[in-house]
Amino acid sequence: MEDVDIAPIATSAAAVVQLDEEAESTLDEPISVTLKRDLLMVFEKFFMVLIPRLNNKRILHDWDLWGPLILCVTLAMMLRDTARDDQKSLVFSGVFVIVWCGAAVVTLNSKLLGGTLSFFQSVCVLGYCLLPLVAGTLIIRTLALMSLASVPVRSVVVLLGLAWALFAYVTFGCIYV
Amino acid sequence: MSGNEARPASGTGHAFEFHDGAPVLTTRRLLKATHGTALWPHLSGSSDITGTLNTRTGRAGADDNDSLNGDGSFGFSDNVTLLREENAAQRNYGAPIWSLEYYAQFFNIETHVVRRRLVTALWPFGARMLDTLNSNPDLYGTEPSRHFDEGPIWISTTLVFAMAMAGNFSSYLASETAWQYDFEMVTFGATSVYGYVLVVPLLLWAALRWLIGNGRIAFTELVCLYGYSLSIFIPVALLSIFQVEWFRWLAVIIALFFSGGALLTNIWPLLRTHPHRISYGICAAMLLSHATLAIVFKLFFFEYNAAVGSSGNTPAPAPSHTPVPSPSP
């Protein structure tokens, strides 16, 4: 992950020295610092999706795939719990396939139509926009504990989450490709 | 920029030459070619083709309606840029085959073309899609029929998820006991739809090419035809949420009539010149596979309805009046 941050400045001799110093510093730092920094980055992006503002575009330059991975795993685990007994592993792997292959296909499509985002930037945004849906599943689990999670209620929560996710995606400017 | 430029080494740069006077002629062709291309990929990052254009030969595209509007004047260097982008549209684009840019040349489908293809793939009377696909090259510049159209991909994907959602929803409405969703609807739907859209056109293409001798039809055109013809099953899936059996079958039959009929009237002109037995056989196989697909979809996704009293995916006692055998403890 650190290489992504460092690479653009490794162009001149003077920068190489700086590069070495920076590389040393991020390689030598304790793991807790690295983790903290990465987690902060992930949570910052979570907040961008949760509270979509119209100036969210700067996320695009600092893509990371940890957030989407965390969200995908959480979603898969949640859906697996409520799936039929003979379909639990199918649902788990199905969620992964749909999320990642879906993101890849949509990204490819937008790139081939002349989009300006790089492949991973687009996958990053699509992955982060899963957050409202994951939040929806957590809400539904809470409701289920209180025996309130009937199918109509679940449908409403999911639809709201979907609308939220779509709105968040739009604020990243990705559709104006 | 006038004068001759030698053809550059193959695999790099652009495979065209231009001489004195040729830029003007090619630009005029370019203007007609890019008429209406709102989705042209701006690969070179240069000027916007759909902007206003004016060439040395005068106002361009005055008789071409649609998107060429007004007049402005670009310098000669812009003509060159336009030429470069026109050439980018041609098949011998300079990008290597493993780069994304090589494939971008195929992704320039336009909305009105999509609309037209939808209509010709679903309405058995009137214009033919394969005629549409092989339409007048002057109008589109470079054989649009050969251009990949991502319509079939999105239509197939929408169909898969629409059927899975509608099927689960209808089984929920039909269930009497505790209901759990069935994820197999997604996997089975995906396998069958994507398999159908890829395999059947492949077989048809092979039959057309080697049994009939018609090598001009491209595989992608047939995929396009089949992809668009499947789009009618999306509303059928949504309508089948209604728990009324005869209504569902009626919807399926109507959809089959339109999509199967359109398939038939699109393929038949290609078979007309050949001995009848094989032609009839191909048509029959085509219609049979299409009907099988529709019937399998109906039976798999919408197996239950409220009157029959479905199991909701768990075994339940069958009502006494039902004529349809259902699992009962």
Side-chain angles (χ1 to χ4, degrees), chain A residues 79-85 87 90-91 93-95 98 102 105-106 108-109 111-114 150-152 154-155, chain B residues 39-43 100-101 103-104 107-109 150 153-154 161 169 172 179-187 313:
Chain A
L79 288 180
R80 181 187 188 279
D81 284 337
T82 56
R84 283 169 53 184
D85 287 330
Q87 288 184 349
L90 182 68
V91 167
S93 40
V95 169
I98 291 175
V105 170
V106 170
L108 265 181
N109 192 32
K111 280 218 61 139
L112 286 166
L113 287 177
S150 63
V151 170
R154 283 190 264 164
S155 308
Chain B
L39 291 179
W40 198 270
H42 295 198
L43 296 170
L100 213 55
E101 283 74 26
Y103 297 98
F107 274 74
N108 54 356
I109 202 69
E150 70 268 22
I153 298 182
W154 295 123
F161 287 112
F169 196 48
Y172 164 71
W179 173 82
Q180 274 188 312
Y181 69 91
D182 183 5
F183 193 73
E184 281 261 336
M185 289 199 180
V186 177
T187 56
N313 297 327

XYZ file of all heavy atoms in Angstrom, chain A residues 79-85 87 90-91 93-95 98 102 105-106 108-109 111-114 150-152 154-155, chain B residues 39-43 100-101 103-104 107-109 150 153-154 161 169 172 179-187 313:
473
model
N -25.228 -12.362 4.907
C -26.182 -13.035 4.027
C -26.111 -14.542 4.194
O -27.102 -15.245 4.045
C -25.905 -12.647 2.574
C -26.284 -11.219 2.225
C -25.982 -10.933 0.777
C -27.747 -10.978 2.490
N -24.909 -15.021 4.512
C -24.768 -16.453 4.712
C -25.596 -16.923 5.903
O -26.167 -18.007 5.867
C -23.292 -16.756 4.946
C -22.974 -18.178 5.134
C -21.517 -18.303 5.532
N -21.111 -19.682 5.535
C -21.348 -20.529 6.528
N -21.991 -20.116 7.592
N -20.967 -21.781 6.451
N -25.670 -16.075 6.927
C -26.380 -16.504 8.124
C -27.861 -16.677 7.885
O -28.499 -17.511 8.516
C -26.159 -15.487 9.255
C -24.784 -15.641 9.853
O -24.220 -16.737 9.715
O -24.284 -14.674 10.437
N -28.419 -15.879 6.979
C -29.855 -15.978 6.765
C -30.209 -16.819 5.547
O -31.362 -16.851 5.139
C -30.465 -14.578 6.572
O -29.792 -13.947 5.486
C -30.314 -13.757 7.823
N -29.232 -17.470 4.982
C -29.516 -18.271 3.789
C -30.006 -19.652 4.190
O -29.894 -20.069 5.332
C -28.264 -18.380 2.926
N -30.533 -20.352 3.208
C -30.952 -21.730 3.447
C -29.750 -22.585 3.795
O -28.643 -22.330 3.351
C -31.615 -22.268 2.197
C -33.022 -21.772 2.007
C -33.532 -22.104 0.640
N -33.395 -23.529 0.338
C -33.702 -24.062 -0.822
N -34.164 -23.291 -1.783
N -33.568 -25.348 -1.042
N -29.997 -23.631 4.565
C -28.898 -24.446 5.077
C -28.045 -25.046 3.980
O -26.828 -25.118 4.096
C -29.443 -25.570 5.960
C -29.930 -25.031 7.273
O -29.361 -24.022 7.719
O -30.882 -25.599 7.835
N -27.517 -23.848 1.152
C -26.997 -22.853 0.213
C -26.025 -21.883 0.853
O -25.640 -20.905 0.239
C -28.150 -22.041 -0.381
C -28.980 -22.834 -1.351
C -30.049 -21.978 -1.986
O -30.302 -20.855 -1.559
N -30.684 -22.509 -2.991
N -22.811 -21.440 -0.989
C -23.116 -20.884 -2.311
C -23.364 -19.390 -2.216
O -22.881 -18.605 -3.039
C -24.356 -21.584 -2.883
C -24.795 -21.163 -4.270
C -23.769 -21.595 -5.287
C -26.147 -21.769 -4.604
N -24.118 -18.992 -1.180
C -24.407 -17.572 -1.011
C -23.132 -16.794 -0.729
O -22.903 -15.715 -1.279
C -25.437 -17.368 0.123
C -25.500 -15.914 0.523
C -26.794 -17.843 -0.312
N -19.964 -17.444 -1.527
C -19.136 -17.247 -2.716
C -19.874 -16.443 -3.775
O -19.268 -15.659 -4.499
C -18.674 -18.578 -3.289
O -19.704 -19.524 -3.222
N -21.209 -16.610 -3.820
C -21.981 -15.848 -4.784
C -21.866 -14.357 -4.555
O -21.754 -13.570 -5.503
N -21.881 -13.942 -3.284
C -21.770 -12.515 -2.983
C -20.427 -11.981 -3.468
O -20.349 -10.921 -4.089
C -21.940 -12.262 -1.473
C -21.562 -10.839 -1.129
C -23.365 -12.536 -1.068
N -20.479 -11.751 -7.300
C -21.304 -10.672 -7.814
C -20.647 -9.325 -7.562
O -20.587 -8.465 -8.442
C -22.714 -10.729 -7.176
C -23.457 -11.955 -7.680
C -23.501 -9.479 -7.507
C -24.790 -12.149 -7.024
N -18.955 -7.956 -10.777
C -19.820 -6.855 -11.168
C -19.057 -5.546 -11.232
O -19.190 -4.779 -12.197
N -16.840 -5.559 -14.328
C -17.550 -5.375 -15.591
C -17.991 -3.932 -15.761
O -17.840 -3.336 -16.827
C -18.763 -6.334 -15.675
C -19.631 -5.996 -16.853
C -18.280 -7.757 -15.790
N -18.526 -3.341 -14.691
C -18.965 -1.948 -14.785
C -17.771 -1.044 -15.061
O -17.846 -0.116 -15.873
C -19.685 -1.529 -13.482
C -19.912 -0.037 -13.471
C -20.999 -2.254 -13.363
N -14.913 -1.866 -16.523
C -14.482 -2.074 -17.906
C -15.373 -1.319 -18.868
O -14.906 -0.686 -19.815
C -14.542 -3.554 -18.247
C -13.271 -4.358 -18.087
C -13.536 -5.788 -18.487
C -12.170 -3.771 -18.941
N -16.663 -1.394 -18.625
C -17.595 -0.721 -19.505
C -17.337 0.773 -19.520
O -17.292 1.405 -20.571
C -19.026 -1.006 -19.048
C -20.032 -0.578 -20.077
O -19.772 -0.614 -21.264
N -21.194 -0.157 -19.643
N -14.630 2.325 -18.723
C -13.319 2.624 -19.319
C -13.391 2.566 -20.834
O -12.823 3.391 -21.535
C -12.286 1.610 -18.825
C -11.768 1.916 -17.459
C -10.299 1.598 -17.354
C -9.508 2.428 -18.326
N -8.280 2.942 -17.792
N -14.095 1.552 -21.340
C -14.148 1.402 -22.787
C -14.993 2.480 -23.429
O -14.897 2.710 -24.621
C -14.676 0.021 -23.154
C -13.652 -1.078 -22.903
C -14.301 -2.431 -22.953
C -12.558 -1.000 -23.933
N -15.835 3.125 -22.647
C -16.590 4.238 -23.194
C -15.828 5.545 -23.036
O -16.374 6.609 -23.266
C -17.951 4.352 -22.499
C -18.954 3.285 -22.882
C -20.221 3.460 -22.097
C -19.266 3.372 -24.362
N -14.574 5.464 -22.626
C -13.775 6.669 -22.552
C -13.728 7.281 -21.172
O -13.503 8.475 -21.039
N -39.795 -8.827 9.152
C -40.576 -9.534 8.137
C -40.102 -9.103 6.763
O -39.356 -8.143 6.620
C -42.048 -9.199 8.299
O -42.224 -7.821 8.082
N -40.573 -9.822 5.740
C -40.078 -9.544 4.394
C -40.397 -8.132 3.925
O -39.525 -7.469 3.335
C -40.611 -10.600 3.401
C -40.325 -10.196 1.970
C -39.978 -11.935 3.693
N -41.581 -7.597 4.152
C -41.816 -6.211 3.725
C -40.864 -5.231 4.400
O -40.340 -4.314 3.749
C -43.265 -5.964 4.145
C -43.888 -7.286 4.221
C -42.822 -8.217 4.671
N -37.901 -5.851 5.555
C -36.568 -6.045 4.983
C -36.461 -5.397 3.613
O -35.440 -4.791 3.266
C -36.267 -7.534 4.861
C -35.888 -8.180 6.153
C -35.371 -9.567 5.908
N -36.394 -10.566 6.076
C -36.285 -11.820 5.624
N -35.231 -12.179 4.945
N -37.255 -12.675 5.828
N -37.541 -5.536 2.811
C -37.517 -4.947 1.473
C -37.354 -3.447 1.564
O -36.583 -2.841 0.819
C -38.801 -5.281 0.720
O -39.042 -6.650 0.745
N -21.277 9.052 -27.968
C -20.518 8.232 -27.040
C -19.141 7.924 -27.574
O -18.558 6.918 -27.246
C -21.259 6.917 -26.792
C -22.555 7.059 -26.008
C -23.193 5.717 -25.841
C -22.297 7.675 -24.663
N -18.637 8.802 -28.438
C -17.341 8.500 -29.025
C -16.270 8.545 -27.946
O -16.155 9.509 -27.230
C -17.035 9.544 -30.102
C -15.983 9.095 -31.018
C -14.657 9.289 -30.875
C -16.163 8.338 -32.201
N -13.999 8.707 -31.927
C -14.885 8.119 -32.758
C -17.286 7.822 -32.864
C -14.706 7.414 -33.925
C -17.103 7.118 -34.027
C -15.819 6.926 -34.544
N -15.493 7.473 -27.826
C -14.451 7.491 -26.791
C -13.349 8.482 -27.124
O -12.790 8.442 -28.198
C -13.924 6.054 -26.789
C -14.302 5.498 -28.087
C -15.513 6.216 -28.553
N -13.070 9.391 -26.218
C -12.056 10.417 -26.476
C -10.692 9.891 -26.077
O -10.125 10.273 -25.082
C -12.378 11.669 -25.679
C -13.660 12.294 -26.119
N -13.986 13.565 -25.830
C -14.687 11.806 -26.836
C -15.172 13.834 -26.340
N -15.626 12.786 -26.952
N -10.199 8.970 -26.860
C -8.983 8.278 -26.460
C -7.769 9.168 -26.539
O -6.891 9.126 -25.707
C -8.767 7.073 -27.381
C -9.865 6.044 -27.259
C -9.734 5.026 -28.338
C -9.772 5.395 -25.896
N -6.276 -1.830 -23.659
C -7.709 -1.557 -23.576
C -8.158 -0.678 -24.733
O -9.288 -0.792 -25.207
C -7.993 -0.852 -22.246
C -9.338 -1.157 -21.600
C -9.506 -2.640 -21.425
C -9.426 -0.458 -20.266
N -7.245 0.166 -25.207
C -7.633 1.111 -26.268
C -8.024 0.380 -27.540
O -8.850 0.850 -28.311
C -6.483 2.076 -26.573
C -6.305 3.176 -25.551
C -5.700 2.659 -24.262
O -4.978 1.632 -24.324
O -5.959 3.251 -23.218
N -9.734 -2.254 -27.831
C -11.124 -2.689 -27.777
C -12.083 -1.521 -27.710
O -13.245 -1.666 -28.032
C -11.330 -3.613 -26.571
C -10.510 -4.858 -26.711
C -9.289 -4.985 -26.079
C -10.939 -5.889 -27.532
C -8.526 -6.110 -26.248
C -10.169 -7.014 -27.700
C -8.961 -7.117 -27.057
O -8.189 -8.224 -27.230
N -11.572 -0.343 -27.321
C -12.469 0.801 -27.223
C -13.032 1.181 -28.574
O -14.084 1.799 -28.660
C -11.729 1.981 -26.603
N -16.523 0.071 -28.989
C -17.573 0.467 -28.066
C -18.094 1.847 -28.410
O -17.948 2.783 -27.660
C -17.024 0.484 -26.638
C -17.090 -0.863 -25.986
C -16.202 -1.847 -26.360
C -18.026 -1.136 -25.028
C -16.254 -3.087 -25.787
C -18.085 -2.380 -24.441
C -17.197 -3.345 -24.820
N -18.672 1.974 -29.558
C -19.212 3.279 -29.872
C -20.645 3.156 -30.353
O -21.029 3.730 -31.350
C -18.342 3.983 -30.907
C -18.150 3.123 -32.130
O -18.607 1.989 -32.153
N -17.500 3.659 -33.131
N -21.400 2.390 -29.636
C -22.796 2.228 -30.006
C -23.560 3.471 -29.564
O -23.200 4.146 -28.614
C -23.368 0.952 -29.345
C -24.567 0.472 -30.099
C -23.692 1.196 -27.885
C -24.236 -0.057 -31.457
N -22.551 -3.561 -26.263
C -22.632 -4.191 -24.950
C -24.062 -4.361 -24.494
O -24.296 -4.781 -23.367
C -21.835 -3.400 -23.912
C -22.423 -2.063 -23.539
C -21.860 -0.977 -24.409
O -21.373 -1.280 -25.502
O -21.907 0.176 -23.986
N -24.949 -7.837 -23.147
C -24.403 -8.122 -21.819
C -25.329 -7.564 -20.748
O -25.710 -8.254 -19.791
C -23.011 -7.501 -21.662
C -22.045 -8.088 -22.670
C -22.496 -7.713 -20.265
C -20.657 -7.539 -22.531
N -25.714 -6.286 -20.933
C -26.534 -5.690 -19.886
C -27.929 -6.261 -19.861
O -28.536 -6.410 -18.799
C -26.579 -4.163 -20.052
C -25.238 -3.563 -19.857
C -24.539 -2.796 -20.726
C -24.393 -3.716 -18.710
N -23.327 -2.470 -20.196
C -23.204 -3.013 -18.969
C -24.534 -4.383 -17.482
C -22.169 -2.958 -18.049
C -23.491 -4.324 -16.564
C -22.334 -3.616 -16.861
N -31.027 -11.060 -13.024
C -31.420 -10.560 -11.710
C -32.904 -10.288 -11.619
O -33.508 -10.480 -10.564
C -30.596 -9.311 -11.365
C -29.181 -9.649 -11.030
C -28.148 -9.270 -11.863
C -28.885 -10.379 -9.892
C -26.844 -9.614 -11.560
C -27.586 -10.724 -9.586
C -26.570 -10.333 -10.425
N -39.641 -13.365 -5.136
C -40.766 -12.607 -4.624
C -42.061 -13.388 -4.807
O -42.915 -13.424 -3.913
C -40.844 -11.254 -5.346
C -41.712 -10.258 -4.665
C -41.593 -10.035 -3.304
C -42.643 -9.528 -5.376
C -42.395 -9.116 -2.665
C -43.446 -8.601 -4.742
C -43.322 -8.396 -3.388
N -42.287 -16.099 -2.370
C -42.656 -15.575 -1.054
C -44.152 -15.347 -0.970
O -44.801 -15.704 0.018
C -41.910 -14.265 -0.776
C -42.512 -13.473 0.353
C -42.395 -13.922 1.667
C -43.211 -12.303 0.115
C -42.966 -13.216 2.703
C -43.780 -11.596 1.149
C -43.653 -12.053 2.444
O -44.224 -11.357 3.458
N -40.612 -18.682 5.048
C -40.035 -18.605 3.708
C -38.579 -18.211 3.794
O -38.192 -17.370 4.583
C -40.823 -17.575 2.915
C -40.228 -17.276 1.575
C -40.395 -18.010 0.445
C -39.376 -16.186 1.223
N -39.720 -17.437 -0.593
C -39.067 -16.304 -0.132
C -38.849 -15.113 1.944
C -38.259 -15.415 -0.806
C -38.039 -14.209 1.282
C -37.751 -14.372 -0.080
N -37.780 -18.862 2.958
C -36.384 -18.453 2.821
C -36.068 -18.294 1.350
O -36.530 -19.079 0.524
C -35.474 -19.512 3.424
C -35.254 -19.342 4.907
C -34.206 -20.300 5.408
O -34.284 -21.486 5.087
N -33.258 -19.808 6.155
N -35.259 -17.320 1.047
C -34.998 -17.075 -0.366
C -34.110 -18.170 -0.947
O -33.383 -18.855 -0.222
C -34.355 -15.701 -0.574
C -32.955 -15.564 -0.050
C -31.855 -15.838 -0.850
C -32.737 -15.151 1.251
C -30.579 -15.699 -0.362
C -31.462 -15.003 1.733
C -30.384 -15.284 0.928
O -29.117 -15.148 1.418
N -34.212 -18.292 -2.225
C -33.499 -19.354 -2.923
C -32.423 -18.727 -3.803
O -32.720 -18.103 -4.815
C -34.508 -20.135 -3.783
C -33.854 -21.297 -4.488
O -32.671 -21.565 -4.256
O -34.563 -21.949 -5.278
N -31.180 -18.862 -3.397
C -30.101 -18.235 -4.171
C -29.824 -18.995 -5.455
O -29.205 -18.460 -6.380
C -28.831 -18.175 -3.313
C -27.768 -17.277 -3.876
C -27.909 -15.907 -3.837
C -26.626 -17.800 -4.470
C -26.936 -15.084 -4.355
C -25.653 -16.990 -4.992
C -25.816 -15.614 -4.935
N -30.299 -20.241 -5.515
C -30.091 -21.012 -6.743
C -30.718 -20.345 -7.942
O -30.308 -20.584 -9.071
C -30.715 -22.406 -6.574
C -29.884 -23.355 -5.774
C -29.087 -24.299 -6.666
O -29.516 -24.502 -7.820
O -28.064 -24.803 -6.222
N -31.720 -19.506 -7.685
C -32.333 -18.822 -8.819
C -31.327 -17.933 -9.514
O -31.369 -17.770 -10.740
C -33.526 -17.993 -8.336
C -34.689 -18.850 -7.925
S -36.195 -17.916 -7.885
C -37.340 -19.176 -7.365
N -30.430 -17.339 -8.734
C -29.432 -16.469 -9.353
C -28.448 -17.300 -10.155
O -28.140 -16.997 -11.317
C -28.683 -15.646 -8.281
C -27.608 -14.812 -8.926
C -29.641 -14.767 -7.521
N -27.956 -18.386 -9.549
C -26.918 -19.161 -10.235
C -27.491 -19.874 -11.451
O -26.875 -19.876 -12.521
C -26.288 -20.177 -9.268
O -27.304 -20.993 -8.730
C -25.564 -19.466 -8.146
N -40.355 -23.169 -0.329
C -39.049 -23.813 -0.257
C -38.882 -24.725 0.938
O -37.803 -25.204 1.204
C -37.905 -22.789 -0.262
C -37.899 -22.010 -1.548
O -38.254 -22.543 -2.587
N -37.538 -20.755 -1.484
